[in-house]
Amino acid sequence: MKIEALTLRELRMPLVTPFETSFGKTANRRIVLVEVHADGASGWGEVTCGELPFYSAETPDTARAILANVIAPMVLQRDFSHPSELAPMMRRIRGHAMARAAVENAAWELAARQAGQPLWRFLGGTRREIPCGVSIGIKPNLDAQLAAVEKELAAGYQRIKVKIKPGWDLDPLGAIRRRWPEIRLMGDANSAYTLADAQHLARLDDFGLMMLEQPLWHDDIYFHAQLQRRLQTPLCLDESIHHARDVEQAVALGACRIINVKLGRVGGFSSARAVHDAAQSGGFPVWCGGMLESGIGRAHNIALSTLPNFTLPGDVTASRRYWHEDIIDPEVTVTPQGTIMAPELPGAGFTPRLDLIHRLTAWEETLR
Ligand code: OSB
Ligand code: MG
């Protein structure tokens, strides 16, 4: 297949409800989509960065510049027989993993569709039904926090994750645990603590959490190992894991016991598979993280979650939790058991809604 053109678009999509983490609040998403045109067909990918460089360094503006000025010249007019050949074409780029992932993932989706296979099978997935959890943002008070948990449990989700930060940790987690003693519960700090908080974080051991996600610095593995030795609660790394070597390091140091895999953060499906394999070899289960994706990214997360070591519920949820109207048809739905069925259709299994996409598009450019 020869890559004939790349179409870049930025969509403006308001969230159903604002989402707050330790690093800030998001109400309106700026979603950069990449359409890869090859052999008279096209595949779609999503740049999963935040609007501002608070989760990682990438933003929609850096993604646009790198896609147009650096990635397009590297991949345009190039032939590939398998989408695993895309990552090597972009190997010289340092960072910008989410921009690279959007192009690589679009190629995977296109190649799977051309091969007449569902993307998840094409990737080597083995599980048709994936277990799902939810990530609940920081709420203004405990009543709102408990009400949000109650709603998601009623919808069937198998695991509750709440965002925490200093001053908003023991109270929400304690209140949830007292009300629901048996549920699978975890906290995600998005790097809001330091090692000086170790004693405080050890108090979370009383709540029987499945895990505590990324308590320390976004670029740290070593000090998480020191913290893990002082906690019973398993740690999970998100921000710190960019490729399989980071997992090998985390395993060697004992920095965590679980890995969150995000397609964008690790640079696409090839790297995500390598991260998955490294975690499996090290004895760590993995789960698929989310970045408030539109349906395009959501569909890719579903496919990834079918790989065998994705044994824990991921942050992969129904379109309706975030969007009044998603940009794919059909939208993603969750079963009453809190699972999502991977589609049997060729490719991602969802069709981009071009009319809606055009209406939401703030800018568009096609590179040849
Ligand atoms: O740390 O997992 C995270 C959202 C934005 C940035 C970082 C994170 C998150 C989430 C939401 O937790 C996951 C989702 O439902 O998409
Ligand atoms: Mg996280």
Side-chain angles (χ1 to χ4, degrees):
M1 272 182 279
K2 184 184 197 166
I3 302 182
E4 289 142 8
L6 294 184
T7 301
L8 313 181
R9 295 181 179 86
E10 181 183 322
L11 276 54
R12 299 282 161 86
M13 294 178 71
L15 290 170
V16 168
T17 44
F19 189 83
E20 185 172 342
T21 67
S22 63
F23 59 74
K25 200 179 216 173
T26 308
N28 293 293
R29 301 279 352 265
R30 295 175 57 192
I31 291 179
V32 176
L33 298 180
V34 178
E35 190 180 357
V36 172
H37 303 269
D39 292 5
S42 77
W44 292 73
E46 176 168 341
V47 181
T48 61
C49 61
E51 286 62 44
L52 294 164
F54 300 162
Y55 168 83
S56 74
E58 291 185 86
T59 72
D61 302 312
T62 68
R64 180 184 193 173
I66 294 296
L67 283 161
N69 303 330
V70 183
I71 294 178
M74 285 177 172
V75 303
L76 282 173
Q77 308 312 323
R78 296 279 301 269
D79 270 303
F80 69 97
S81 53
H82 191 271
S84 58
E85 293 160 32
L86 271 284
M89 292 180 201
M90 299 183 269
R91 184 150 41 207
R92 281 149 62 210
I93 301 172
R94 297 204 175 157
H96 303 286
M98 292 166 176
R100 287 186 275 119
V103 171
E104 189 194 318
N105 295 350
W108 275 93
E109 193 258 314
L110 174 58
R113 193 147 26 85
Q114 302 287 63
Q117 274 189 58
L119 174 59
W120 64 275
R121 280 233 184 76
F122 190 72
L123 278 167
T126 52
R127 156 199 348 268
R128 239 219 104 187
E129 185 171 11
I130 64 164
C132 304
V134 287
S135 175
I136 300 177
I138 291 170
K139 299 293 174 191
N141 55 62
L142 284 178
D143 282 347
Q145 177 72 262
L146 292 171
V149 173
E150 185 165 39
K151 179 177 169 203
E152 304 297 0
L153 291 173
Y157 287 104
Q158 299 184 8
R159 178 223 68 193
I160 299 291
K161 156 170 145 184
V162 292
K163 293 294 192 176
I164 60 167
K165 63 178 179 181
W168 183 259
D169 45 22
L170 299 172
D171 288 347
L173 286 168
I176 295 166
R177 184 47 95 209
R178 278 188 292 280
R179 174 111 167 246
W180 293 282
E182 307 291 341
I183 60 168
R184 292 205 267 179
L185 178 64
M186 61 179 286
D188 185 0
N190 290 108
S191 304
Y193 298 89
T194 73
L195 213 48
D197 300 309
Q199 238 181 350
H200 174 75
L201 292 172
R203 297 177 63 190
L204 298 176
D205 284 345
D206 292 342
F207 301 141
L209 304 180
M210 269 184 107
M211 71 195 89
L212 171 61
E213 185 176 347
Q214 197 76 33
L216 306 180
W217 306 275
H218 73 95
D219 56 355
D220 170 76
I221 296 176
Y222 176 77
F223 291 107
H224 279 90
Q226 296 202 348
L227 180 62
Q228 181 67 90
R229 274 184 230 111
R230 299 176 60 178
L231 302 184
Q232 276 157 24
T233 306
L235 296 182
C236 169
L237 291 179
D238 171 354
E239 281 89 332
S240 311
I241 302 294
H242 301 279
H243 37 63
R245 250 183 319 104
D246 286 333
V247 177
E248 291 170 17
Q249 224 182 114
V251 169
L253 292 171
C256 62
R257 296 186 199 131
I258 298 168
I259 302 284
N260 166 330
V261 187
K262 289 183 181 169
L263 270 172
R265 194 194 69 226
V266 304
F269 277 120
S270 299
S271 171
R273 286 206 302 197
V275 164
H276 163 277
D277 295 351
Q280 193 159 30
S281 308
F284 290 1
V286 303
W287 53 279
C288 181
M291 289 293 291
L292 312 175
E293 288 93 344
S294 81
I296 302 291
R298 219 158 271 276
H300 292 176
N301 289 344
I302 294 170
L304 180 66
S305 305
T306 66
L307 295 178
N309 195 34
F310 280 82
T311 52
L312 301 174
D315 284 344
V316 186
T317 59
S319 298
R320 282 290 160 92
R321 287 191 68 248
Y322 291 111
W323 314 115
H324 296 292
E325 254 192 314
D326 203 348
I327 57 172
I328 51 166
D329 184 38
E331 62 177 28
V332 175
T333 55
V334 69
T335 68
Q337 293 74 43
T339 63
I340 291 174
M341 301 301 296
E344 285 296 353
L345 296 168
F350 300 88
T351 309
R353 292 177 57 186
L354 295 177
D355 52 335
L356 182 58
I357 288 171
H358 290 143
R359 262 189 283 142
L360 298 170
T361 297
W363 55 261
E364 172 177 333
E365 68 183 305
T366 294
L367 304 146
R368 286 173 207 286

